[in-house]
Amino acid sequence: MSDCIFCKFSKGEIKPITVYEDDKCIVFLDKFPLTKGQTLVVGKKHIDNVFDLPDDDYTHIFNIAKKIVKASDAAFDTIRTWLLVQGMQVAHNHIKILPIYEGEYPNLTEGSGPEVNDDVLNEQAEKLKKALE
Ligand SMILES: [Zn+2]
């Protein structure tokens, strides 16, 4: 899909602030996060619903999501990290990884939060990458 933003990220036509990438998925910081340090795990195939992915892609993407959740808890001062599949905003499979902080709970009926500048996102990406090592 030529107008799909997540396909552009997957193909490298637009470069998000990336934490992890392989042949099946890309993980990057959400520029409009609900919580500080939110990432998105996006499969590289243009399939809308994550539950319609072939089993090997599905399993792989959720295994990567698990690693990112662990990295999020290690990198940030979280009480826990949530994993969320809504699929309501972009019609291309993605999993939201939401770091949760004491007393700060996101409103999940809101799809996104205020824009965060790239310097902050780059700093968060470095922390996550270090935690993934
Ligand atoms: Zn797409």
Side-chain angles (χ1 to χ4, degrees):
M1 287 272 294
S2 58
D3 60 344
C4 172
I5 185 77
F6 286 174
C7 280
K8 287 180 180 171
F9 287 170
S10 295
K11 290 173 190 156
E13 290 168 14
I14 302 174
K15 297 222 182 293
I17 295 174
T18 304
V19 171
Y20 174 85
E21 183 168 10
D22 62 30
D23 61 328
K24 287 188 186 304
C25 68
I26 183 167
V27 184
F28 53 88
L29 270 295
D30 193 324
K31 200 159 171 54
F32 299 89
L34 287 170
T35 68
K36 184 167 63 78
Q38 180 189 327
T39 48
L40 298 174
V41 182
V42 172
K44 290 200 167 173
K45 289 181 180 155
H46 183 80
I47 293 173
D48 178 358
N49 193 330
V50 71
F51 302 111
D52 291 332
L53 288 171
D55 284 350
D56 60 334
D57 290 84
Y58 177 86
T59 305
H60 179 77
I61 286 167
F62 273 85
N63 281 335
I64 295 301
K66 178 181 171 182
K67 289 192 168 103
I68 304 298
V69 166
K70 297 280 184 192
S72 165
D73 283 334
F76 305 128
D77 188 25
T78 61
I79 54 171
R80 188 157 285 222
T81 294
W82 291 357
L83 185 154
L84 181 67
V85 176
Q86 290 171 310
M88 300 299 285
Q89 288 175 299
V90 178
H92 180 130
N93 69 90
H94 59 287
I95 301 169
K96 293 181 180 179
I97 310 280
L98 297 167
I100 302 297
Y101 306 92
E102 186 74 49
E104 295 175 32
Y105 296 101
N107 179 354
L108 299 181
T109 60
E110 291 173 14
S112 56
E115 185 171 0
V116 175
N117 83 53
D118 286 354
D119 291 345
V120 172
L121 296 179
N122 277 313
E123 202 174 295
Q124 291 167 346
E126 288 312 309
K127 285 182 182 172
L128 284 168
K129 281 190 226 169
K130 196 163 275 181
L132 279 170
E133 284 170 2

